[in-house]
Amino acid sequence: MKITELYPDVITEDLNYELKTVLSQDNPLKWAKTIVRFANGEGGIIFVGVNDNRDAFGLSIEEIDKMKNLVVQINDRHIFPHAKYAFSMRSVDNDGGTVYSGYKGFPV
């Protein structure tokens, strides 16, 4: 399934959208910069479980929990004042077993 089937306005990465297969724990400052950019601008969404071809392949629930924890850690340890954000999930297969997760940052 393409991300455009879930969100028709997401054509490519831009100032409001980031498409990522996973959030890597190797470089938390990179994610902090993206989160701050969203917080200082009009907000934005990081779609996790979506590749560069816009295929929404999804993540397991365990991977989503790790991603959420990483965003919380980055916000708590590297961003002051803390950014406002929310998480959401959507199913990308008919079995309901695979989901992608989106992080939405809000302007501060």
Side-chain angles (χ1 to χ4, degrees), residues 40-52:
N40 287 336
E42 296 179 14
I45 301 174
I46 301 172
F47 294 97
V48 183
V50 181
N51 65 21
D52 289 338

Side-chain angles (χ1 to χ4, degrees), residues 27-97:
N27 194 351
L29 293 180
K30 176 182 177 185
W31 297 114
K33 289 178 184 179
T34 300
I35 293 168
V36 168
R37 176 172 50 100
F38 288 163
N40 287 336
E42 296 179 14
I45 301 174
I46 301 172
F47 294 97
V48 183
V50 181
N51 65 21
D52 289 338
N53 293 326
R54 298 183 310 278
D55 297 315
F57 58 85
L59 303 170
S60 69
I61 295 298
E62 293 80 19
E63 290 171 316
I64 290 170
D65 285 341
K66 288 179 187 176
M67 185 269 310
K68 286 180 178 180
N69 289 334
L70 178 60
V71 170
V72 169
Q73 285 179 350
I74 290 168
N75 195 39
D76 287 345
R77 296 179 185 173
H78 301 287
I79 300 172
F80 300 99
H82 298 308
K84 296 187 296 183
Y85 57 87
F87 297 102
S88 65
M89 295 186 296
R90 295 239 178 130
S91 176
V92 294
D93 69 15
N94 293 332
D95 298 328

Side-chain angles (χ1 to χ4, degrees), residues 9-38:
D9 59 325
V10 180
I11 297 169
T12 187
E13 290 183 313
D14 59 21
L15 293 175
N16 298 313
Y17 304 116
E18 290 276 338
L19 308 177
K20 299 297 173 197
T21 54
V22 294
L23 292 183
S24 172
Q25 294 181 335
D26 297 337
N27 194 351
L29 293 180
K30 176 182 177 185
W31 297 114
K33 289 178 184 179
T34 300
I35 293 168
V36 168
R37 176 172 50 100
F38 288 163

